[in-house]
Amino acid sequence: MSKVEAFRALHHGRLPGDPLVLPGPWDAVSARVCAEAGFPALATPSAGIAASLGHEDGSTPPDEMFAAVARVVRAVDVPVSADVEDGYGLAPKELVERLLETGAVGCNLEDSHGGELKDPRQHADWLAEVRAAAGDLLFVNARIDTFAHGDGDPERAIERAALYVAAGADCVYPIGAPADVLPLLRSGIQGPVNMHARLDGEGPSLTELGELGATRITFGPGLLRRSAQALRATTDELRGQR
């Protein structure tokens, strides 16, 4: 079984309460730590990589993002999916080629740009072109930004999800959706649903998110921020020893 086939299989046949948990490494070291912990796959966060490279979220040059993803992929044997924001304005064929060059088996693709939602039908057409260019070589996670940059109406999110799934998306990601609307989203969406989870103890547990309908769970730049907090505590301790 190829890595992309293994990654796709991880999203299917899951029991309620047992979502696929994908940590978000931002470099080779963090990727190795996550893989050695036993996670079956990883998902790079664009915001985490941006921070590690000294950029604001959303402003990482594409060449730097693809290079960072490639370093993560080279560091581990497990499948890696890459958050490549809204595709950086690349034509679908070029976007797919650059993703495959990194060794990634999947990607997140946002339906907003600059904080504004894209027209869902036009975005669906673009996703269909990505799917056609990728064939079965990439697992496409279509991010839905209705809750992040829209009016937060679950029905609008479900409508967008239907368009994206019809266009060939393997999974949809209603980022920012409150946990209490997850059952409604789950009932109206065909296929796997990605949810974001926090690492500060706030909100439902991973098991609870799975029971509410999440197929897979990611953390955005949460691991990077948690690591930065730990590093700050260590450096404060070192300063205190002077």
Side-chain angles (χ1 to χ4, degrees):
M1 181 183 292
S2 69
K3 282 188 176 180
V4 66
E5 290 172 334
F7 187 66
R8 186 170 281 112
L10 287 171
H11 292 76
H12 296 282
R14 308 201 69 88
L15 298 174
D18 181 33
L20 173 62
V21 178
L22 299 177
W26 57 93
D27 62 8
V29 173
S30 58
R32 290 193 188 104
V33 169
C34 292
E36 289 168 2
F39 290 96
L42 310 175
T44 65
S46 61
I49 287 179
S52 74
L53 296 175
H55 298 294
E56 295 294 325
D57 185 20
S59 64
T60 307
D63 287 350
E64 292 189 40
M65 182 63 75
F66 289 119
V69 171
R71 288 192 291 271
V72 168
V73 172
R74 286 198 303 268
V76 296
D77 292 327
V78 299
V80 176
S81 182
D83 183 348
V84 288
E85 303 177 284
D86 70 339
Y88 307 111
L90 299 174
K93 184 175 184 295
E94 182 180 0
L95 175 62
V96 168
E97 288 174 350
R98 298 201 66 176
L99 278 164
L100 293 177
E101 285 172 358
T102 70
V105 301
C107 60
N108 276 16
L109 294 170
E110 304 169 5
D111 68 348
S112 66
H113 179 76
E116 298 289 333
L117 288 173
K118 297 181 179 181
D119 177 272
R121 295 189 180 279
Q122 291 179 2
H123 186 63
D125 289 343
W126 182 77
L127 286 175
E129 293 182 50
V130 172
R131 169 53 68 210
D136 291 330
L137 298 179
L138 283 175
F139 184 97
V140 177
N141 187 33
R143 205 177 92 172
I144 299 170
D145 287 356
T146 304
F147 298 94
H149 302 302
D151 61 8
D153 184 343
E155 294 298 338
R156 301 291 81 75
I158 290 171
E159 290 171 1
R160 284 176 176 261
L163 289 170
Y164 303 161
V165 170
D170 297 283
C171 182
V172 294
Y173 179 15
I175 189 170
D180 60 2
V181 305
L182 180 51
L184 174 60
L185 295 175
R186 173 70 281 170
S187 68
I189 293 175
Q190 299 296 315
V193 175
N194 188 155
M195 285 290 285
H196 176 269
R198 298 174 59 164
L199 292 169
D200 57 6
E202 298 292 328
S205 69
L206 304 185
T207 297
E208 289 168 339
L209 283 172
E211 290 171 343
L212 289 170
T215 309
R216 92 180 202 181
I217 295 172
T218 52
F219 306 89
L223 283 179
L224 173 68
R225 292 171 180 166
R226 186 80 168 264
S227 297
Q229 291 171 356
L231 179 59
R232 181 170 291 110
T234 300
T235 54
D236 288 345
E237 180 181 345
L238 290 173
R239 283 183 59 84
Q241 295 176 10
R242 294 181 62 188

